[in-house]
Amino acid sequence: MTKAAPPKRLFIKTYGCQMNVYDSERMADVLRPLGYALTEEAEGADLVVLNTCHIREKAAEKVYSELGRLKEMKGRKAEAGGVMTIAVAGCVAQAEGEEIMIRQPAVDLVIGPQAYHQFPELIARVHRGRGERLSADFAAHEKFDALPTSRTVSGVTAFLTVQEGCDKFCTFCVVPYTRGGEYSRPAEAILAEAEQLAAQGVREVTLLGQNVNAYAGEGGLAGLVRRLAQIPGLSRIRYTTSHPRDMDEALIGAHGEIEALMPYLHLPVQSGSDKILRAMNRAHTAETYLRLIEKIRAARPDIALSGDFIVGFPGETDKDFEATLELVRAVGYASAFSFKYSRRPGTPASAMPGQVDEAVKEERLARLLDLLNEQQLDFNQAQVGRTLPILFEKAGRNPGQVVGRTPYLQPVHIEASTGLIGRIAPVTITAATRGSLTGALAPTPALEPA
Ligand code: 5AD
Ligand code: SF4
């Protein structure tokens, strides 16, 4: 018998959104048959992949500084007689292509988000010394058709991509250019993947898409959720990110009807000023967004709402910013993400007059964060005294602790055995901070079987 070759070490660093987290897992899947095993350390790895994000300037710049560090590691590995291959994947790869090669000669391969199924072939070409440079303009369906159908996961929760790309063209955003037009995976492929995940012990899936609620398969996203909810073992379903425009009646209704659909919704609004929303090409007003929230709350009164906000979009005055604060007060968010407007080359907003000073953006961001943080703490504190079903995900940092999540997505720490991992058990919440909750197992009802 021949002995198996030692595994080659693969290090993947993921930036940006959950879609990239999912893609990184799939990259590891396509590379596994080539003998690559994941490692936690870039130093000494045989293949390093940076799965990059281009959404804001800072995210893109981080990649170049990381590449500087990797260049040194590559040098050290070469001195020791080894080879480190460096690949840049993700949206910076798609947007900047060969420019990356020029700025950082240590990069061997640039591969865009639609081309991951080609990874093994490209790596082989690089190793044959051809220094391949890829311009990644594949269609999303080719990617999904060609990715291996089996997926290895270890956790209790998993991401599952159902849709990619965006046709909305918000004037600040690079996604329609880096991820291409909207594409929905066939429901059958998604269901098969979800069944596999459930068979591996996954209890919760988060359906991913840049515009996940624009899912265009039969029955739309609501229909898909309904079918996923039938899979034994799969107790919790979430989805992200949604556009207010695609929040249809069926999906709103689903929040009131499907038990497995968790009461949490990330529904970015970006601004509370109609003038700014128009300039952003958002296709909704503050008023229509608020009406939508009312409808959603009518269907599911306890739903936790989350959103994205941009401050300092071109032309934003103090009055426009005040309208954003007002909208936040009217909604009451359980969590949120806020950003300073970042000028992205090639997007319409980058050429708009009235670009806002950095200092003004800083100040507005701080004020918005104060309000959102206060709301988040309020939401968490309102859970104290309640008994909630908690899905336990992992051991806590301190011995004897396990961590799970509420239906509203807050982490909960309790003192209990790690035997709870993978189970849903009732927990009475005893304390809350802005970031997490503490609780104790409630005596009744009895634990459900695993
Ligand atoms: N500047 C700042 N924030 C941005 N986002 C997208 N593009 C930009 C940009 N150019 C934010 C939006 C979006 C989230 C994913 O990132 O709020 O919803
Ligand atoms: Fe970007 Fe707007 Fe599409 Fe979201 S909906 S990905 S913000 S263009």
Side-chain angles (χ1 to χ4, degrees):
M1 250 183 33
T2 52
K3 258 173 95 184
K8 288 174 269 189
R9 281 170 296 168
L10 165 65
F11 175 77
I12 306 183
K13 181 157 182 167
T14 309
Y15 299 82
C17 66
Q18 288 144 334
M19 186 78 77
N20 272 6
V21 175
Y22 177 87
D23 278 346
S24 291
E25 280 179 29
R26 303 317 311 269
M27 282 189 246
D29 287 337
V30 289
L31 293 168
R32 199 168 292 115
L34 274 73
Y36 286 98
L38 280 173
T39 154
E40 302 282 310
E41 274 278 330
E43 187 76 56
D46 299 289
L47 172 59
V48 175
V49 181
L50 298 187
N51 191 6
T52 62
C53 172
H54 200 243
I55 196 116
R56 286 168 293 274
E57 192 179 358
K58 239 197 217 149
E61 277 311 312
K62 270 193 208 154
V63 173
Y64 286 103
S65 55
E66 184 65 24
L67 284 173
R69 280 191 289 276
L70 289 175
K71 177 179 180 254
E72 316 255 297
M73 288 185 203
K74 185 177 179 141
R76 285 195 286 276
K77 179 134 185 172
E79 274 167 28
V83 178
M84 176 186 280
T85 303
I86 300 177
V88 179
C91 295
V92 177
Q94 177 70 47
E96 298 185 8
E98 291 193 12
E99 204 184 309
I100 300 169
M101 301 272 196
I102 297 163
R103 264 183 80 173
Q104 183 43 270
V107 173
D108 298 287
L109 179 67
V110 174
I111 180 167
Q114 309 308 346
Y116 298 151
H117 56 293
Q118 300 247 334
F119 224 136
E121 185 194 328
L122 292 162
I123 292 290
R125 281 203 223 161
V126 168
H127 288 165
R128 286 200 300 269
R130 292 177 48 192
E132 199 69 26
R133 283 150 194 234
L134 184 84
S135 67
D137 51 358
F138 294 88
H141 68 88
E142 289 177 34
K143 164 182 169 177
F144 285 113
D145 289 350
L147 282 173
T149 49
S150 74
R151 227 186 120 182
T152 336
V153 291
S154 55
V156 171
T157 63
F159 291 125
L160 174 47
T161 297
V162 306
Q163 182 276 340
E164 273 204 32
C166 180
D167 301 330
K168 306 289 191 290
F169 291 93
C170 300
T171 54
F172 51 81
C173 186
V174 289
V175 168
Y177 312 98
T178 53
R179 290 279 176 164
E182 286 176 11
Y183 166 76
S184 297
R185 286 177 77 189
E188 299 313 320
I190 297 164
L191 289 161
E193 196 170 322
E195 273 163 14
Q196 254 186 41
L197 293 172
Q200 292 175 68
V202 168
R203 303 288 315 266
E204 171 179 305
V205 287
T206 301
L207 309 180
L208 296 181
Q210 265 94 23
N211 259 289
V212 72
N213 63 338
Y215 179 74
E218 207 191 313
L221 189 63
L224 183 65
V225 168
R226 220 171 274 282
R227 291 175 74 184
L228 287 165
Q230 308 292 317
I231 297 176
L234 213 56
S235 307
R236 293 185 165 192
I237 300 169
R238 304 178 186 278
Y239 60 92
T240 197
T241 287
S242 296
H243 193 293
R245 198 173 108 177
D246 294 316
M247 212 57 223
D248 63 18
E249 298 289 333
L251 190 55
I252 296 171
H255 275 281
E257 291 156 15
I258 304 173
E259 205 190 328
L261 185 56
M262 290 293 102
Y264 174 93
L265 177 64
H266 182 68
L267 196 62
V269 64
Q270 315 295 357
S271 168
S273 152
D274 289 344
K275 179 191 94 189
I276 296 298
L277 288 168
R278 215 172 311 119
M280 286 177 163
N281 189 32
R282 288 289 295 177
H284 60 78
T285 63
E287 179 68 18
T288 55
Y289 180 85
L290 290 171
R291 291 289 85 79
L292 184 57
I293 298 293
E294 257 174 33
K295 270 193 187 170
I296 296 163
R297 282 197 165 130
R300 182 77 207 225
D302 65 335
I303 200 158
L305 292 164
S306 164
D308 291 343
F309 298 89
I310 295 179
V311 298
F313 184 85
E316 186 187 73
T317 61
D318 284 338
K319 196 166 150 250
D320 295 316
F321 176 65
E322 290 300 332
T324 299
L325 295 177
E326 201 177 307
L327 178 136
V328 170
R329 283 186 211 108
V331 173
Y333 287 92
S335 75
F337 303 89
S338 4
F339 312 101
K340 286 183 286 182
Y341 170 68
S342 165
R343 216 166 166 172
R344 309 307 288 129
T347 58
S350 70
M352 284 180 188
Q355 299 286 330
V356 175
D357 270 5
E358 198 54 28
V360 174
K361 287 184 196 171
E362 289 281 356
E363 194 235 303
R364 288 181 187 164
L365 183 68
R367 285 182 62 200
L368 178 59
L369 278 174
D370 277 349
L371 177 59
L372 289 166
N373 286 344
E374 197 184 302
Q375 293 193 342
Q376 189 173 1
L377 180 62
D378 286 350
F379 187 89
N380 287 1
Q381 282 177 340
Q383 310 309 317
V384 175
R386 291 185 72 192
T387 297
L388 300 171
I390 305 302
L391 170 58
F392 287 95
E393 294 179 8
K394 57 184 183 195
R397 224 175 277 151
N398 306 327
Q401 234 185 20
V402 271
V403 188
R405 280 184 194 269
T406 68
Y408 313 109
L409 207 61
Q410 303 119 313
V412 184
H413 302 260
I414 72 164
E415 304 285 328
S417 136
T418 49
L420 277 177
I421 294 170
R423 292 184 183 219
I424 297 171
V427 168
T428 304
I429 307 302
T430 52
T433 64
R434 186 166 66 77
S436 67
L437 306 178
T438 314
L441 269 187
T444 52
L447 284 186
E448 63 160 356

